[in-house]
Amino acid sequence: MTNASAMLTALGDPTRQSIVDALSREPLAVGELARVLPISRPAVSQHLKVLKDVGLVLDRQEGTRRLYRVDPDALAEVRRHLDAFWERSLAAFEHRTRSEEDHSDRHDQHDPGDPA
Amino acid sequence: MTNASAMLTALGDPTRQSIVDALSREPLAVGELARVLPISRPAVSQHLKVLKDVGLVLDRQEGTRRLYRVDPDALAEVRRHLDAFWERSLAAFEHRTRSEEDHSDRHDQHDPGDPA
DNA sequence: AGTATCGGTAAGTGCTAGCTTACGGTTCGT
DNA sequence: ACGAACCGTAAGCTAGCACTTACCGATACT
């Protein structure tokens, strides 16, 4: 499992999506997040651990508090991962559409080898 | 919960990521997917139902088989959603960096109001 | 030093996501 | 009409996830 898919998996939880959403606007401490979200502070801590383990968020000690923020580079990595899916699906679709004109019965549509 | 976040949640499962991965390359029937994946055919069916409910995949009857494929537009929507996170986190970061020069002790950093 | 705030972690619980087997319906071939 | 292949759904089980409360260490203030 690549790092990008691990991040995607971490983003699967709606609560963690809310956390990333909030943190993307401005860095927040754990208690501040817990005040906004409908869950307890330890629950927030556990979610932040998950997000931190996959590299989606960064933390920095600020006195007695601990400020969490989103790592833009990590988000960019997830985006690239989705882009790969998107481009491939688009390519497959267009390939299908093109070969619709001369649709023969042969179904070896993978790697046509550009028969010039 | 918006549609994009629902799709993101559906993509949270690693098996579903594999399914989308496979389907992005070329449309496949349920049985073909089950042959590749380490799970049973009904399990694949259930995953496909989840993906279809959020609009990530499309299906079309092909004789006795049922071909599933990825909807590129849906993937694009998820991508845009992540883009929003990314842009905001980047903006927040740069804002922080800029206001680092004149960092006073006041911590009302939200909406400084551009004090000319 | 004493106190308060903040936050990570341990322990325990409920629920549901994901899986399997079993069954039934539909489409194609003979 | 019969059999085969394909697939969706029901039913049931289990592992793990998300949550809570309780506890403890660390940092800052007076």
Side-chain angles (χ1 to χ4, degrees), chain B residues 29-31 41 45 66 68:
Chain B
V30 181
R41 186 192 48 76
S45 247
R66 180 171 287 260
Y68 284 86

Side-chain angles (χ1 to χ4, degrees), chain B residues 97-115:
Chain B
T97 311
R98 250 189 298 109
S99 67
E100 208 168 65
E101 306 156 3
D102 62 351
H103 67 294
S104 56
D105 295 17
R106 310 185 292 124
H107 15 95
D108 56 342
Q109 69 278 15
H110 81 100
D111 195 348
D114 189 18

Side-chain angles (χ1 to χ4, degrees), chain B residues 47-64:
Chain B
H47 280 303
L48 285 172
K49 174 172 173 48
V50 173
L51 292 172
K52 185 184 170 187
D53 282 345
V54 298
L56 271 171
V57 303
L58 305 172
D59 61 332
R60 105 173 190 262
Q61 198 81 18
E62 183 85 4
T64 168

Side-chain angles (χ1 to χ4, degrees), chain B:
Chain B
M1 194 185 215
T2 124
N3 199 11
S5 51
M7 291 193 265
L8 199 54
T9 304
L11 281 174
D13 183 72
T15 300
R16 281 196 286 271
Q17 291 176 24
S18 301
I19 290 179
V20 171
D21 186 10
L23 291 184
S24 72
R25 301 171 194 276
E26 73 176 326
L28 290 174
V30 181
E32 295 171 333
L33 275 172
R35 244 165 264 134
V36 175
L37 300 171
I39 58 177
S40 70
R41 186 192 48 76
V44 174
S45 247
Q46 290 159 10
H47 280 303
L48 285 172
K49 174 172 173 48
V50 173
L51 292 172
K52 185 184 170 187
D53 282 345
V54 298
L56 271 171
V57 303
L58 305 172
D59 61 332
R60 105 173 190 262
Q61 198 81 18
E62 183 85 4
T64 168
R65 307 193 313 161
R66 180 171 287 260
L67 281 183
Y68 284 86
R69 64 181 185 90
V70 174
D71 184 4
D73 295 341
L75 269 185
E77 192 176 342
V78 182
R79 191 178 60 121
R80 278 196 304 272
H81 195 230
L82 282 186
D83 268 350
F85 284 167
W86 177 75
E87 286 173 10
R88 269 187 312 206
S89 64
L90 204 62
F93 175 73
E94 286 176 351
H95 179 214
R96 281 277 172 163
T97 311
R98 250 189 298 109
S99 67
E100 208 168 65
E101 306 156 3
D102 62 351
H103 67 294
S104 56
D105 295 17
R106 310 185 292 124
H107 15 95
D108 56 342
Q109 69 278 15
H110 81 100
D111 195 348
D114 189 18

Side-chain angles (χ1 to χ4, degrees), chain A residues 8-24:
Chain A
L8 200 53
T9 304
L11 281 175
D13 182 72
T15 300
R16 282 197 284 271
Q17 291 177 23
S18 300
I19 291 179
V20 170
D21 185 10
L23 291 184
S24 72

